[in-house]
Amino acid sequence: MTLPRLPVKRMAERSALFTFRSGIPILREAMSPLALPALHASHAGTWMRTGDGLTHSVGKGEAVTAVADTPLLLLNAPLVATRLGYPDLSGLDVLELFAFVHPARFVVPTPKGLAHALDLAEPEDDSHVPRLLQEAAGALLATCGGPQWQEREGAWSALQSLTRLRWPWSGPLTGRIPRPERAERWLFSKLPEWEEAAELPQPRQVEMDQESTLARLAQLTGTTAEQRAGQRDYAAQAANAFSPRRKSGQPHVVLAQAGTGTGKTLGYLAPASLWSELSGGTVWVSTFTKALQRQLRQESRRAWPERRPDGSQPVVVRKGRENYVCLLNLEDALQGGFAGRAAILAHLVARWAAYTRDGDMIGGDLPGWLGTLFRKRGIAALTDQRGECVYAGCPHYRKCFIERAARASAQADLVIGNHALVMVNAARGRDHAARPTRIVFDEGHHVFDAADTTFAAALTGAEAIELRRWVIGPEKASRGRRRGLAARLADVASYDEAGGRAVAAARDAAEALPADGWLQRIGEGAPFGPLEELLGEVRATVYARDESGGTEAGYGLETEAAGLEGAFVEHAQAARSALAELRQPLIRLGTRLEALLEEPPDWLDAQGRQRIEGARHSLSWRVDLLAAWEALLERLGGPADPEFVDWLAIDRSEAREFDIGIHRRWLDPMKPFARTVLEPAHGVVMTSATLKDADDWTKAIARSGAAHIGVAPLLSAHDSPFDYAGQAEVLIVTDVPRGDIPALAGAYGRLIEASGGGVLGLFTAIRRLRAVHGRIADRLARGGLPLYAQHVDPIDTGTLVDIFRDDPAASLLGTDALRDGVDVPGRSLRLVVMEQVPWPRPTILHRARRLAAGGEKGGAQLFDDSIIRARLAQAFGRLIRSKEDRGHFIVLSSAFPSRLLTAFPPGTPIRRVTLDEALERVALPSATLPPGAGHGLEAPISIEDAARPA
Ligand code: SF4
């Protein structure tokens, strides 16, 4: 039966509930559910419900026509658009209404998640979702009319602006929110100001005995909690990092491997909190994933209260500045800097900014899905991505979330940061006194990768044009507040002769950098200026030499920066001179600014002084950036520097070029890490469930960087208390041919069906992930098994994991980020499937490191093996998160090398089986693990057996 389509206006008139103003339906009286037509599309089909309560299944074409005619109620418009194959779809997205009514409140953006958040009944199946949307919309609108609405303040003013922007929800909301008796305060006047506090004195030197550490641990775990011997041992070892340092530049370094379930978080928080209490100092815990930061925030509550008696925070989460909303950018967006849908996003973000805990937009309390509803990079434009902050010169400086977090962390007992932030702070932090000296690197197996990117240099078109804009300002008339150096330092440029000359010289020199349209000009063989000419040479060289096969596959291309032609080297030297021409006036300007601060002239008022302070900092790191680029270019054509790996690359996505450049990495990035992070520290713990390679500490020690400063780390290992023999089983499926996409998709589909969902599918290539998803998602959805995928669904990764965690029938496909960023205990994750052995990508960088390792004992193959084993161990670690968890870990590989089996915890049963046998085992009730004899399958092989050559 086909659905009789009624224009929304006719439906609304028929129910006599709406009147129309400028084409927008206005609700005449409150009711629930909302009598507007609703649409739901999943992989299983499409359903529409009329305003007067008839639900029909409809074809995609019909749904597209309906949605083009009338604004329908939807949940997650971009996702519905993907399902219908109609990218321009829009409507009344219930998630947008949720973000307006309950800013900064968590909801899983699925029908079930919405029902839970609003206390409504879960829809029984897809066909009941349109009704849920009407109920949810009705409930949200009713909230606005009710007296209990906690987020009422600011809503009326926001709605006036949103109505002017023709936000589809403004019609239904109008009349629901009464005009407040007193004018509402503007966001920027109502946010609280942070207060300056005296610098903390240096920490007292304290020796903590083992008894006190263990007593603190018992206090944190609770007297009734089971005493875990491994955890006590772990805490006692971690405490060594907090002893007084004996020699300058030689911190205590503890490498602590703790199997999943050891309880390492409280294990290190016990000595950390005790040390902080006794010494008055600050401990930093650095993580790699946002999920662990969230978990740490909760766990720290056992040791510290939310607030101290004076209102300050003992525990502060600190992220890179690009994570926080920049109030100046937000103000600009609200006042015309953003247009159309982006402006609506800005108003919803402003609603959130009034209620947020800490202004963190990425992984904080701003819903991760909000940005993706608006497609373009609106969220990024509201942060301070490009280092344009004017610091104390900004009118919102005293309310700025970034500055607030920086000040709070200087007074905190515990700062929860991330690896990149700790390294960037150490390398170019503004405040030397606030640099961390006692650091726990949790997820320590990622420190190497974080150091690798932090200490890298990349002279690319995209980076260079950013620098040009920072100096000159945007070229075309831009709506944004971005201004060049001359405008930001207008008083210096006008009143100080030397400063003015330096600014003008920098501006002239920056003309040599790539300008708007650079990529197109290079593609057409018409580059302009020395940098574009060099990038043109880079592009031509890469295309001439690349043999990776990436040209056809649409991936990025690269070639070594070696054996370069004379013409290339000449272009590189011309570009280097151009960069030096720019660096010189910037250095002169920096010196001049310092002089002005030391002996302030009459014209320099307090604001001007603050602007100069801010400019000085951003100037100095641009000078460093230019110096790094010049060093990189100077080397081209000369002998290779054995400390570095240099290469030329074209970055592409789906065969479209988006950046071109020259890259430099340290062969061993732990060298600069040791110098900038370890050496100034007093105590460092690096901890993880996968620090060492099986029983071998060699790689973990090398990757700590300790040897570079002559420190021998203290090693401690603590086995997981989980019964892997009884809780998990590894199946190596030997009959799915490599490279056969239909067979791969068939295997995934059947495994997900056998398991009834709860599958995390891990891929090493996005192309294969998409191909598999495309072949099985519809069929699975029709069987009630929703399948979500990174790089397919227009949903951010954090939200995808939230959706997966929330629905035990759902499965999730993804790549690297999911391999060790997912913490889903319980039934929602009961099967991990890897599409193949996770071989390292044979990049130029990997080859160089492999070659360097080749000379040492064991050679290049050991190097690769240790990478693969670490990846397998991390992926396996997703499966068993608690003592109650049960599950299977499957690798689809006909030739899985036995030497890699030591990646799995000792005792875990491992079997090589056919797909049919695997399906049989996966379908067994999980309580029957470990599967003993009697299922007609071969007995498990021991690691020792498995490790023998086949
Ligand atoms: S101080 Fe900087 S980051 Fe903060 S609001 Fe102002 S410009 Fe933005």
Side-chain angles (χ1 to χ4, degrees):
M1 187 164 63
T2 53
L3 176 79
R5 274 193 303 105
L6 292 175
V8 67
K9 187 167 176 178
R10 260 188 57 209
M11 284 184 195
E13 281 169 355
R14 197 193 312 169
S15 58
L17 284 166
F18 292 86
T19 179
F20 279 78
R21 194 182 297 152
S22 310
I24 295 173
I26 308 288
L27 198 64
R28 286 210 177 106
E29 59 179 78
M31 75 164 284
S32 179
L34 181 63
L36 282 179
L39 171 73
H40 171 63
S42 78
H43 280 290
T46 309
W47 291 266
M48 279 184 65
R49 185 175 171 86
T50 60
D52 42 12
L54 285 173
T55 305
H56 302 274
S57 161
V58 293
K60 282 187 184 176
E62 202 175 341
V64 167
T65 317
V67 93
D69 276 3
T70 58
L72 303 183
L73 291 174
L74 305 162
L75 184 74
N76 195 342
L79 187 65
V80 176
T82 311
R83 302 281 192 256
L84 294 180
Y86 178 60
D88 294 330
L89 179 140
S90 63
L92 289 152
D93 196 327
V94 180
L95 287 177
E96 286 180 30
L97 180 62
F98 189 97
F100 176 85
V101 178
H102 297 307
R105 205 181 281 192
F106 179 79
V107 61
V108 178
T110 58
K112 187 178 152 199
L114 189 66
H116 286 184
L118 297 175
D119 218 8
L120 299 169
E122 265 183 42
E124 283 162 34
D125 57 33
D126 275 333
S127 69
H128 289 83
V129 173
R131 181 180 163 78
L132 170 79
L133 300 185
Q134 293 175 336
E135 287 172 350
L140 286 165
L141 292 173
T143 301
C144 301
Q148 306 295 339
W149 188 21
Q150 290 169 11
E151 298 99 339
R152 177 181 301 282
E153 202 194 337
W156 186 85
S157 309
L159 183 57
Q160 307 317 302
S161 306
L162 285 162
T163 303
R164 281 193 292 278
L165 292 166
R166 299 174 66 82
W167 183 43
W169 280 109
S170 55
L173 278 164
T174 299
R176 295 277 182 174
I177 304 173
R179 185 189 193 120
E181 283 170 16
R182 264 183 292 154
E184 291 177 318
R185 281 192 300 157
W186 172 232
L187 168 72
F188 304 100
S189 57
K190 95 183 152 200
L191 286 173
E193 294 196 341
W194 45 260
E195 310 220 326
E196 207 65 85
E199 236 176 65
L200 288 183
Q202 54 169 300
R204 277 182 294 279
Q205 298 297 318
V206 291
E207 289 277 8
M208 302 186 305
D209 59 45
Q210 188 166 320
E211 236 169 71
S212 341
T213 303
L214 295 182
R216 173 58 60 99
L217 178 66
Q219 192 187 328
L220 299 190
T221 53
T223 42
T224 53
E226 155 198 14
Q227 291 284 315
R228 287 188 258 182
Q231 190 182 35
R232 288 164 54 83
D233 195 22
Y234 177 93
Q237 298 284 1
N240 286 299
F242 297 92
S243 301
R245 189 169 70 173
R246 292 192 185 88
K247 212 167 160 196
S248 168
Q250 301 246 298
H252 298 286
V253 177
V254 178
L255 303 186
Q257 162 128 340
T260 317
T262 306
K264 67 175 157 45
T265 310
L266 290 182
Y268 58 69
L269 285 183
S273 62
L274 183 63
W275 178 82
S276 165
E277 185 184 310
L278 298 175
S279 71
T282 304
V283 177
W284 278 61
V285 177
S286 175
T287 78
F288 187 71
T289 63
K290 293 190 168 117
L292 182 58
Q293 284 198 331
R294 269 203 294 260
Q295 187 194 324
L296 263 163
R297 192 200 276 271
Q298 281 174 359
E299 297 252 8
S300 67
R301 288 280 161 272
R302 294 176 186 235
W304 287 276
E306 172 103 35
R307 302 257 165 202
R308 298 190 186 106
D310 65 359
S312 62
Q313 292 174 270
V315 178
V316 174
V317 175
R318 182 89 192 274
K319 295 187 177 177
R321 54 187 305 119
E322 67 286 355
N323 286 275
Y324 297 88
V325 62
C326 163
L327 293 173
L328 196 54
N329 280 351
L330 179 59
E331 183 187 24
D332 185 59
L334 294 173
Q335 293 185 335
F338 279 16
R341 290 274 296 156
I344 292 172
L345 172 65
H347 282 276
L348 293 178
V349 169
R351 282 278 291 147
W352 161 82
Y355 292 92
T356 174
R357 181 179 49 214
D358 56 8
D360 176 6
M361 299 183 87
I362 322 280
D365 54 11
L366 183 81
W369 42 260
L370 185 63
T372 52
L373 296 185
F374 290 84
R375 291 179 197 147
K376 282 213 187 124
R377 293 181 67 249
I379 294 286
L382 294 173
T383 60
D384 179 41
Q385 294 267 334
R386 303 182 184 96
E388 288 188 313
C389 176
V390 284
Y391 299 98
C394 165
H396 307 305
Y397 183 61
R398 294 297 309 275
K399 292 161 192 274
C400 174
F401 288 109
I402 303 169
E403 296 299 323
R404 181 189 307 284
R407 269 153 195 85
S409 68
Q411 301 292 319
D413 297 338
L414 178 73
V415 179
I416 302 170
N418 61 60
H419 298 351
L421 177 76
V422 169
M423 292 178 207
V424 169
N425 251 11
R428 50 170 194 252
R430 268 196 295 161
D431 188 357
H432 287 255
R435 286 185 184 173
T437 55
R438 271 78 178 177
I439 315 167
V440 178
F441 286 101
D442 200 339
E443 300 178 313
H445 57 281
H446 277 299
V447 170
F448 182 91
D449 291 336
D452 198 19
T453 43
T454 305
F455 300 105
L459 170 51
T460 73
E463 294 282 333
I465 197 169
E466 277 307 319
L467 180 61
R468 178 195 176 100
R469 288 178 186 146
W470 183 82
V471 178
I472 301 180
E475 276 144 275
K476 295 193 193 117
S478 144
R479 283 168 165 274
R481 70 173 177 89
R482 308 188 64 191
R483 274 166 281 154
L485 197 53
R488 284 199 299 273
L489 288 172
D491 34 13
V492 176
S494 339
Y495 300 129
D496 183 75
E497 209 188 317
R501 273 202 307 272
V503 170
R507 205 202 163 287
D508 290 347
E511 296 284 355
L513 295 170
D516 282 350
W518 67 275
L519 203 51
Q520 193 183 344
R521 279 194 296 280
I522 289 174
E524 291 164 355
F528 182 77
L531 268 292
E532 286 188 18
E533 280 166 10
L534 172 64
L535 295 175
E537 289 292 322
V538 169
R539 184 176 182 272
T541 309
V542 174
Y543 272 115
R545 292 174 169 195
D546 182 82
E547 294 181 62
S548 66
T551 314
E552 291 74 39
Y555 296 151
L557 308 173
E558 56 179 27
T559 188
E560 296 132 289
L564 298 165
E565 299 270 317
F568 187 109
V569 176
E570 275 169 31
H571 281 296
Q573 295 322 317
R576 184 169 75 91
S577 310
L579 295 176
E581 292 277 306
L582 173 57
R583 187 161 59 95
Q584 293 314 321
L586 292 182
I587 292 173
R588 287 203 299 277
L589 181 60
T591 316
R592 193 59 211 138
L593 295 184
E594 261 169 47
L596 289 173
L597 288 174
E598 266 168 36
E599 284 179 43
D602 299 343
W603 52 264
L604 191 62
D605 59 11
Q607 275 229 335
R609 190 183 166 83
Q610 291 171 341
R611 256 196 308 279
I612 289 178
E613 297 246 7
R616 235 171 30 141
H617 175 68
S618 41
L619 201 58
S620 79
W621 79 259
R622 258 115 194 153
V623 167
D624 291 349
L625 178 72
L626 282 163
W629 286 353
E630 286 172 49
L632 176 56
L633 295 180
E634 191 177 7
R635 217 272 313 144
L636 297 179
D641 184 334
E643 295 268 46
F644 298 103
V645 185
D646 299 340
W647 72 95
L648 319 179
I650 302 174
D651 293 333
R652 305 193 309 163
S653 170
E654 296 178 9
R656 210 178 56 83
E657 293 174 14
F658 63 88
D659 204 2
I660 300 171
I662 308 170
H663 298 258
R664 162 168 281 193
R665 293 283 173 97
W666 283 83
L667 186 66
D668 181 1
M670 300 319 286
K671 269 191 189 171
F673 170 85
R675 211 181 50 242
T676 50
V677 181
L678 290 185
E679 209 170 69
H682 288 239
V684 174
V685 179
M686 287 189 193
T687 186
S688 157
T690 55
L691 217 48
K692 57 191 179 114
D693 180 13
D695 280 330
D696 189 357
W697 278 104
T698 319
K699 184 174 146 202
I701 295 170
R703 290 198 160 203
S704 71
H708 296 304
I709 51 166
V711 169
L714 176 74
L715 309 176
S716 83
H718 312 270
D719 286 340
S720 167
F722 295 156
D723 169 23
Y724 285 109
Q727 292 182 256
E729 184 177 50
V730 175
L731 301 175
I732 294 161
V733 173
T734 51
D735 58 349
V736 177
R738 194 172 172 191
D740 184 339
I741 294 287
L744 185 64
Y748 265 97
R750 293 175 69 198
L751 285 166
I752 292 171
E753 280 165 344
S755 158
V759 177
L760 177 66
L762 297 172
F763 288 77
T764 47
I766 297 173
R767 209 158 40 119
R768 282 196 297 277
L769 181 156
R770 287 187 174 140
V772 166
H773 180 271
R775 282 168 187 262
I776 61 175
D778 289 2
R779 188 183 91 211
L780 291 171
R782 284 195 292 274
L785 299 172
L787 180 64
Y788 295 90
Q790 254 191 322
H791 311 290
V792 176
D793 293 312
I795 302 176
D796 64 290
T797 305
T799 304
L800 280 174
V801 175
D802 289 339
I803 293 173
F804 178 57
R805 183 183 290 116
D806 196 47
D807 184 356
S811 296
L812 176 59
L813 306 183
T815 51
D816 289 7
L818 296 184
R819 197 175 50 227
D820 58 349
V822 175
D823 184 17
V824 179
R827 285 236 349 117
S828 286
L829 173 46
R830 47 196 181 273
L831 172 59
V832 176
V833 183
M834 294 195 94
E835 57 145 349
Q836 62 174 27
V837 177
W839 303 105
R841 271 206 324 129
T843 59
I844 286 168
L845 180 62
H846 172 255
R847 194 181 57 195
R849 288 188 179 146
R850 191 175 189 273
L851 220 89
E856 294 159 19
K857 70 170 185 163
Q861 185 181 321
L862 280 185
F863 178 75
D864 278 359
D865 286 354
S866 74
I867 293 176
I868 302 167
R869 275 194 294 266
R871 289 178 180 178
L872 287 169
Q874 285 149 21
F876 180 85
R878 302 309 94 214
L879 187 63
I880 306 297
R881 309 298 297 167
S882 75
K883 279 194 168 159
E884 288 69 44
D885 282 3
R886 299 273 183 285
H888 287 90
F889 184 88
I890 291 182
V891 188
L892 305 174
S893 166
S894 53
F896 188 98
S898 297
R899 61 180 188 278
L900 302 178
L901 292 172
T902 49
F904 304 111
T908 313
I910 302 169
R911 286 181 161 79
R912 289 182 195 269
V913 292
T914 62
L915 179 60
D916 285 339
E917 287 166 340
L919 291 166
E920 206 177 310
R921 300 195 81 80
V922 165
L924 289 172
S926 57
T928 60
L929 274 171
H935 302 297
L937 303 178
E938 62 174 286
I941 43 178
S942 68
I943 296 224
E944 292 68 34
D945 286 345
R948 285 200 197 111

